[in-house]
PDB file of all heavy atoms in Angstrom:
ATOM      1  N   ALA V 748      38.709  95.745 147.604  1.00 95.00           N
ATOM      2  CA  ALA V 748      38.462  94.705 148.582  1.00 95.00           C
ATOM      3  C   ALA V 748      39.467  94.716 149.637  1.00 95.00           C
ATOM      4  O   ALA V 748      40.672  95.029 149.537  1.00 95.00           O
ATOM      5  CB  ALA V 748      38.649  93.327 147.833  1.00 95.00           C
ATOM      6  N   LEU V 749      39.073  94.278 150.921  1.00 97.00           N
ATOM      7  CA  LEU V 749      39.895  94.089 152.051  1.00 97.00           C
ATOM      8  C   LEU V 749      39.621  92.744 152.580  1.00 97.00           C
ATOM      9  O   LEU V 749      38.520  92.426 153.021  1.00 97.00           O
ATOM     10  CB  LEU V 749      39.550  95.205 153.142  1.00 97.00           C
ATOM     11  CG  LEU V 749      40.289  95.113 154.459  1.00 97.00           C
ATOM     12  CD1 LEU V 749      41.842  95.288 154.197  1.00 97.00           C
ATOM     13  CD2 LEU V 749      39.789  96.093 155.476  1.00 97.00           C
ATOM     14  N   LYS V 750      40.600  91.970 152.500  1.00 95.00           N
ATOM     15  CA  LYS V 750      40.449  90.537 152.893  1.00 95.00           C
ATOM     16  C   LYS V 750      40.681  90.267 154.353  1.00 95.00           C
ATOM     17  O   LYS V 750      41.247  91.082 155.068  1.00 95.00           O
ATOM     18  CB  LYS V 750      41.355  89.653 152.121  1.00 95.00           C
ATOM     19  CG  LYS V 750      41.094  89.797 150.580  1.00 95.00           C
ATOM     20  CD  LYS V 750      42.070  88.994 149.726  1.00 95.00           C
ATOM     21  CE  LYS V 750      41.750  89.135 148.290  1.00 95.00           C
ATOM     22  NZ  LYS V 750      42.627  88.337 147.471  1.00 95.00           N
ATOM     23  N   LYS V 751      40.344  89.045 154.941  1.00 95.00           N
ATOM     24  CA  LYS V 751      40.496  88.728 156.268  1.00 95.00           C
ATOM     25  C   LYS V 751      42.116  88.624 156.510  1.00 95.00           C
ATOM     26  O   LYS V 751      42.738  88.036 155.657  1.00 95.00           O
ATOM     27  CB  LYS V 751      39.844  87.409 156.569  1.00 95.00           C
ATOM     28  CG  LYS V 751      38.325  87.527 156.586  1.00 95.00           C
ATOM     29  CD  LYS V 751      37.607  86.253 156.932  1.00 95.00           C
ATOM     30  CE  LYS V 751      36.170  86.379 156.897  1.00 95.00           C
ATOM     31  NZ  LYS V 751      35.499  85.065 157.212  1.00 95.00           N
ATOM     32  N   SER V 752      42.486  88.979 157.633  1.00 94.00           N
ATOM     33  CA  SER V 752      43.913  88.982 157.953  1.00 94.00           C
ATOM     34  C   SER V 752      44.269  87.452 158.256  1.00 94.00           C
ATOM     35  O   SER V 752      43.359  86.674 158.742  1.00 94.00           O
ATOM     36  CB  SER V 752      44.278  89.809 159.111  1.00 94.00           C
ATOM     37  OG  SER V 752      43.621  89.395 160.175  1.00 94.00           O
ATOM     38  N   PHE V 753      45.506  87.087 158.172  1.00 94.00           N
ATOM     39  CA  PHE V 753      45.908  85.774 158.509  1.00 94.00           C
ATOM     40  C   PHE V 753      47.310  85.893 159.122  1.00 94.00           C
ATOM     41  O   PHE V 753      48.139  86.560 158.762  1.00 94.00           O
ATOM     42  CB  PHE V 753      45.909  84.740 157.337  1.00 94.00           C
ATOM     43  CG  PHE V 753      46.722  85.137 156.183  1.00 94.00           C
ATOM     44  CD1 PHE V 753      48.009  84.673 156.090  1.00 94.00           C
ATOM     45  CD2 PHE V 753      46.244  85.976 155.205  1.00 94.00           C
ATOM     46  CE1 PHE V 753      48.800  85.055 154.999  1.00 94.00           C
ATOM     47  CE2 PHE V 753      47.052  86.313 154.124  1.00 94.00           C
ATOM     48  CZ  PHE V 753      48.361  85.847 154.011  1.00 94.00           C
ATOM     49  N   PRO V 754      47.582  85.075 160.159  1.00 95.00           N
ATOM     50  CA  PRO V 754      46.617  84.255 160.848  1.00 95.00           C
ATOM     51  C   PRO V 754      45.810  85.090 161.702  1.00 95.00           C
ATOM     52  O   PRO V 754      46.252  86.248 162.039  1.00 95.00           O
ATOM     53  CB  PRO V 754      47.569  83.298 161.756  1.00 95.00           C
ATOM     54  CG  PRO V 754      48.864  84.152 161.924  1.00 95.00           C
ATOM     55  CD  PRO V 754      49.026  84.956 160.607  1.00 95.00           C
ATOM     56  N   ASN V 755      44.672  84.630 162.093  1.00 95.00           N
ATOM     57  CA  ASN V 755      43.774  85.289 163.021  1.00 95.00           C
ATOM     58  C   ASN V 755      43.151  84.325 163.912  1.00 95.00           C
ATOM     59  O   ASN V 755      42.392  83.490 163.353  1.00 95.00           O
ATOM     60  CB  ASN V 755      42.857  86.166 162.151  1.00 95.00           C
ATOM     61  CG  ASN V 755      42.034  87.197 163.103  1.00 95.00           C
ATOM     62  OD1 ASN V 755      42.329  87.232 164.197  1.00 95.00           O
ATOM     63  ND2 ASN V 755      41.170  87.878 162.496  1.00 95.00           N
ATOM     64  N   PRO V 756      43.546  84.209 165.139  1.00 96.00           N
ATOM     65  CA  PRO V 756      44.308  85.189 166.005  1.00 96.00           C
ATOM     66  C   PRO V 756      45.785  85.205 165.623  1.00 96.00           C
ATOM     67  O   PRO V 756      46.294  84.160 165.100  1.00 96.00           O
ATOM     68  CB  PRO V 756      43.996  84.769 167.430  1.00 96.00           C
ATOM     69  CG  PRO V 756      43.538  83.350 167.334  1.00 96.00           C
ATOM     70  CD  PRO V 756      42.978  83.103 165.949  1.00 96.00           C
ATOM     71  N   ALA V 757      46.420  86.361 165.859  1.00 96.00           N
ATOM     72  CA  ALA V 757      47.912  86.449 165.576  1.00 96.00           C
ATOM     73  C   ALA V 757      48.568  86.620 166.835  1.00 96.00           C
ATOM     74  O   ALA V 757      48.105  87.250 167.796  1.00 96.00           O
ATOM     75  CB  ALA V 757      48.011  87.635 164.685  1.00 96.00           C
ATOM     76  N   SER V 758      49.885  86.072 166.939  1.00 95.00           N
ATOM     77  CA  SER V 758      50.682  86.159 168.070  1.00 95.00           C
ATOM     78  C   SER V 758      51.987  86.979 167.739  1.00 95.00           C
ATOM     79  O   SER V 758      52.539  87.542 168.703  1.00 95.00           O
ATOM     80  CB  SER V 758      50.943  84.844 168.690  1.00 95.00           C
ATOM     81  OG  SER V 758      51.642  83.993 167.700  1.00 95.00           O
ATOM     82  N   ARG V 759      52.482  86.946 166.552  1.00 93.00           N
ATOM     83  CA  ARG V 759      53.689  87.699 166.230  1.00 93.00           C
ATOM     84  C   ARG V 759      53.420  88.695 165.169  1.00 93.00           C
ATOM     85  O   ARG V 759      53.800  89.850 165.297  1.00 93.00           O
ATOM     86  CB  ARG V 759      54.770  86.667 165.676  1.00 93.00           C
ATOM     87  CG  ARG V 759      55.256  85.899 166.797  1.00 93.00           C
ATOM     88  CD  ARG V 759      56.527  85.072 166.283  1.00 93.00           C
ATOM     89  NE  ARG V 759      56.946  84.088 167.351  1.00 93.00           N
ATOM     90  CZ  ARG V 759      57.609  83.087 167.054  1.00 93.00           C
ATOM     91  NH1 ARG V 759      57.922  82.764 165.849  1.00 93.00           N
ATOM     92  NH2 ARG V 759      57.996  82.279 167.997  1.00 93.00           N
ATOM     93  N   GLN V 760      52.812  88.211 164.040  1.00 94.00           N
ATOM     94  CA  GLN V 760      52.482  89.101 162.950  1.00 94.00           C
ATOM     95  C   GLN V 760      51.322  88.672 162.177  1.00 94.00           C
ATOM     96  O   GLN V 760      50.925  87.566 162.292  1.00 94.00           O
ATOM     97  CB  GLN V 760      53.647  89.311 162.026  1.00 94.00           C
ATOM     98  CG  GLN V 760      53.954  87.942 161.097  1.00 94.00           C
ATOM     99  CD  GLN V 760      55.241  88.192 160.410  1.00 94.00           C
ATOM    100  OE1 GLN V 760      56.018  89.071 160.498  1.00 94.00           O
ATOM    101  NE2 GLN V 760      55.331  87.441 159.348  1.00 94.00           N
ATOM    102  N   ALA V 761      50.720  89.635 161.582  1.00 95.00           N
ATOM    103  CA  ALA V 761      49.432  89.345 160.729  1.00 95.00           C
ATOM    104  C   ALA V 761      49.589  89.962 159.354  1.00 95.00           C
ATOM    105  O   ALA V 761      50.189  91.010 159.168  1.00 95.00           O
ATOM    106  CB  ALA V 761      48.167  89.808 161.420  1.00 95.00           C
ATOM    107  N   THR V 762      49.152  89.239 158.320  1.00 95.00           N
ATOM    108  CA  THR V 762      49.243  89.678 157.004  1.00 95.00           C
ATOM    109  C   THR V 762      47.879  90.158 156.627  1.00 95.00           C
ATOM    110  O   THR V 762      46.893  89.470 156.822  1.00 95.00           O
ATOM    111  CB  THR V 762      49.657  88.558 156.039  1.00 95.00           C
ATOM    112  OG1 THR V 762      50.845  88.168 156.364  1.00 95.00           O
ATOM    113  CG2 THR V 762      49.618  89.066 154.523  1.00 95.00           C
ATOM    114  N   ILE V 763      47.799  91.395 156.097  1.00 96.00           N
ATOM    115  CA  ILE V 763      46.512  92.064 155.629  1.00 96.00           C
ATOM    116  C   ILE V 763      46.641  92.175 154.081  1.00 96.00           C
ATOM    117  O   ILE V 763      47.549  92.875 153.570  1.00 96.00           O
ATOM    118  CB  ILE V 763      46.343  93.448 156.317  1.00 96.00           C
ATOM    119  CG1 ILE V 763      46.230  93.230 157.771  1.00 96.00           C
ATOM    120  CG2 ILE V 763      45.049  94.142 155.754  1.00 96.00           C
ATOM    121  CD1 ILE V 763      46.186  94.461 158.658  1.00 96.00           C
ATOM    122  N   GLU V 764      45.609  91.629 153.389  1.00 94.00           N
ATOM    123  CA  GLU V 764      45.707  91.658 151.934  1.00 94.00           C
ATOM    124  C   GLU V 764      44.560  92.578 151.517  1.00 94.00           C
ATOM    125  O   GLU V 764      43.404  92.532 152.144  1.00 94.00           O
ATOM    126  CB  GLU V 764      45.614  90.298 151.329  1.00 94.00           C
ATOM    127  CG  GLU V 764      46.740  89.401 151.520  1.00 94.00           C
ATOM    128  CD  GLU V 764      46.631  88.090 150.881  1.00 94.00           C
ATOM    129  OE1 GLU V 764      45.479  87.560 150.681  1.00 94.00           O
ATOM    130  OE2 GLU V 764      47.766  87.500 150.629  1.00 94.00           O
ATOM    131  N   TYR V 765      44.697  93.312 150.387  1.00 95.00           N
ATOM    132  CA  TYR V 765      43.694  94.242 149.937  1.00 95.00           C
ATOM    133  C   TYR V 765      43.990  94.373 148.384  1.00 95.00           C
ATOM    134  O   TYR V 765      44.971  94.022 147.869  1.00 95.00           O
ATOM    135  CB  TYR V 765      43.675  95.579 150.598  1.00 95.00           C
ATOM    136  CG  TYR V 765      44.997  96.352 150.518  1.00 95.00           C
ATOM    137  CD1 TYR V 765      45.171  97.326 149.627  1.00 95.00           C
ATOM    138  CD2 TYR V 765      46.009  96.108 151.504  1.00 95.00           C
ATOM    139  CE1 TYR V 765      46.379  98.013 149.578  1.00 95.00           C
ATOM    140  CE2 TYR V 765      47.197  96.841 151.467  1.00 95.00           C
ATOM    141  CZ  TYR V 765      47.365  97.818 150.441  1.00 95.00           C
ATOM    142  OH  TYR V 765      48.550  98.429 150.425  1.00 95.00           O
ATOM    143  N   ALA V 766      42.963  94.801 147.728  1.00 92.00           N
ATOM    144  CA  ALA V 766      42.979  94.972 146.168  1.00 92.00           C
ATOM    145  C   ALA V 766      42.304  96.307 145.882  1.00 92.00           C
ATOM    146  O   ALA V 766      41.370  96.856 146.440  1.00 92.00           O
ATOM    147  CB  ALA V 766      42.281  93.813 145.529  1.00 92.00           C
ATOM    148  N   VAL V 767      42.882  96.882 144.777  1.00 91.00           N
ATOM    149  CA  VAL V 767      42.394  98.139 144.246  1.00 91.00           C
ATOM    150  C   VAL V 767      42.278  97.944 142.657  1.00 91.00           C
ATOM    151  O   VAL V 767      43.241  97.469 142.080  1.00 91.00           O
ATOM    152  CB  VAL V 767      43.232  99.398 144.595  1.00 91.00           C
ATOM    153  CG1 VAL V 767      43.196  99.570 146.158  1.00 91.00           C
ATOM    154  CG2 VAL V 767      44.703  99.213 144.237  1.00 91.00           C
ATOM    155  N   PRO V 768      41.168  98.315 142.121  1.00 85.00           N
ATOM    156  CA  PRO V 768      40.994  98.100 140.689  1.00 85.00           C
ATOM    157  C   PRO V 768      41.789  99.210 139.852  1.00 85.00           C
ATOM    158  O   PRO V 768      41.861  99.072 138.507  1.00 85.00           O
ATOM    159  CB  PRO V 768      39.465  98.244 140.559  1.00 85.00           C
ATOM    160  CG  PRO V 768      39.071  99.140 141.544  1.00 85.00           C
ATOM    161  CD  PRO V 768      39.931  98.766 142.663  1.00 85.00           C
ATOM    162  N   LYS V 769      42.155 100.310 140.409  1.00 85.00           N
ATOM    163  CA  LYS V 769      42.858 101.387 139.696  1.00 85.00           C
ATOM    164  C   LYS V 769      43.768 102.116 140.623  1.00 85.00           C
ATOM    165  O   LYS V 769      43.673 101.877 141.872  1.00 85.00           O
ATOM    166  CB  LYS V 769      41.903 102.371 139.080  1.00 85.00           C
ATOM    167  CG  LYS V 769      40.986 103.053 140.219  1.00 85.00           C
ATOM    168  CD  LYS V 769      39.924 103.970 139.627  1.00 85.00           C
ATOM    169  CE  LYS V 769      39.186 104.566 140.778  1.00 85.00           C
ATOM    170  NZ  LYS V 769      38.185 105.533 140.316  1.00 85.00           N
ATOM    171  N   GLN V 770      44.734 102.734 140.096  1.00 85.00           N
ATOM    172  CA  GLN V 770      45.733 103.532 140.909  1.00 85.00           C
ATOM    173  C   GLN V 770      44.891 104.554 141.818  1.00 85.00           C
ATOM    174  O   GLN V 770      44.129 105.223 141.294  1.00 85.00           O
ATOM    175  CB  GLN V 770      46.759 104.205 140.066  1.00 85.00           C
ATOM    176  CG  GLN V 770      47.785 105.007 140.986  1.00 85.00           C
ATOM    177  CD  GLN V 770      48.768 105.660 140.117  1.00 85.00           C
ATOM    178  OE1 GLN V 770      49.023 105.300 139.039  1.00 85.00           O
ATOM    179  NE2 GLN V 770      49.572 106.609 140.671  1.00 85.00           N
ATOM    180  N   THR V 771      45.226 104.503 143.109  1.00 91.00           N
ATOM    181  CA  THR V 771      44.474 105.342 143.978  1.00 91.00           C
ATOM    182  C   THR V 771      45.158 105.567 145.307  1.00 91.00           C
ATOM    183  O   THR V 771      46.026 104.739 145.670  1.00 91.00           O
ATOM    184  CB  THR V 771      42.921 104.832 144.237  1.00 91.00           C
ATOM    185  OG1 THR V 771      42.268 105.819 144.907  1.00 91.00           O
ATOM    186  CG2 THR V 771      42.961 103.504 145.085  1.00 91.00           C
ATOM    187  N   GLU V 772      44.777 106.467 146.042  1.00 95.00           N
ATOM    188  CA  GLU V 772      45.292 106.684 147.392  1.00 95.00           C
ATOM    189  C   GLU V 772      44.583 105.797 148.286  1.00 95.00           C
ATOM    190  O   GLU V 772      43.373 105.624 148.333  1.00 95.00           O
ATOM    191  CB  GLU V 772      44.928 108.169 147.899  1.00 95.00           C
ATOM    192  CG  GLU V 772      45.609 108.595 149.134  1.00 95.00           C
ATOM    193  CD  GLU V 772      47.164 109.017 148.941  1.00 95.00           C
ATOM    194  OE1 GLU V 772      47.466 109.289 147.817  1.00 95.00           O
ATOM    195  OE2 GLU V 772      47.813 109.063 149.930  1.00 95.00           O
ATOM    196  N   VAL V 773      45.425 104.964 149.091  1.00 96.00           N
ATOM    197  CA  VAL V 773      44.962 103.909 150.036  1.00 96.00           C
ATOM    198  C   VAL V 773      45.604 104.218 151.462  1.00 96.00           C
ATOM    199  O   VAL V 773      46.700 104.452 151.615  1.00 96.00           O
ATOM    200  CB  VAL V 773      45.319 102.546 149.497  1.00 96.00           C
ATOM    201  CG1 VAL V 773      44.941 101.440 150.439  1.00 96.00           C
ATOM    202  CG2 VAL V 773      44.783 102.324 148.149  1.00 96.00           C
ATOM    203  N   SER V 774      44.651 103.984 152.425  1.00 97.00           N
ATOM    204  CA  SER V 774      45.031 103.890 153.840  1.00 97.00           C
ATOM    205  C   SER V 774      44.517 102.649 154.438  1.00 97.00           C
ATOM    206  O   SER V 774      43.330 102.374 154.311  1.00 97.00           O
ATOM    207  CB  SER V 774      44.430 105.216 154.514  1.00 97.00           C
ATOM    208  OG  SER V 774      44.768 105.157 155.926  1.00 97.00           O
ATOM    209  N   VAL V 775      45.424 101.965 155.237  1.00 97.00           N
ATOM    210  CA  VAL V 775      45.067 100.882 156.003  1.00 97.00           C
ATOM    211  C   VAL V 775      45.636 101.127 157.396  1.00 97.00           C
ATOM    212  O   VAL V 775      46.859 101.148 157.549  1.00 97.00           O
ATOM    213  CB  VAL V 775      45.522  99.495 155.524  1.00 97.00           C
ATOM    214  CG1 VAL V 775      45.073  98.390 156.344  1.00 97.00           C
ATOM    215  CG2 VAL V 775      45.138  99.284 154.001  1.00 97.00           C
TER     216      VAL V 775
END
């Protein structure tokens, strides 16, 4: 899963959350 970033719109920083069901190579 790749969730919606927050805050959005962003002015300083944005947090991006994601989930993986097993150990794996991930790129964002």
Side-chain angles (χ1 to χ4, degrees):
L749 178 62
K750 299 178 181 179
K751 294 181 181 179
S752 63
F753 60 91
N755 195 0
S758 60
R759 291 188 185 159
Q760 65 183 23
T762 300
I763 299 171
E764 295 182 335
Y765 56 97
V767 294
K769 61 183 179 181
Q770 181 177 341
T771 190
E772 188 80 21
V773 175
S774 171
V775 180

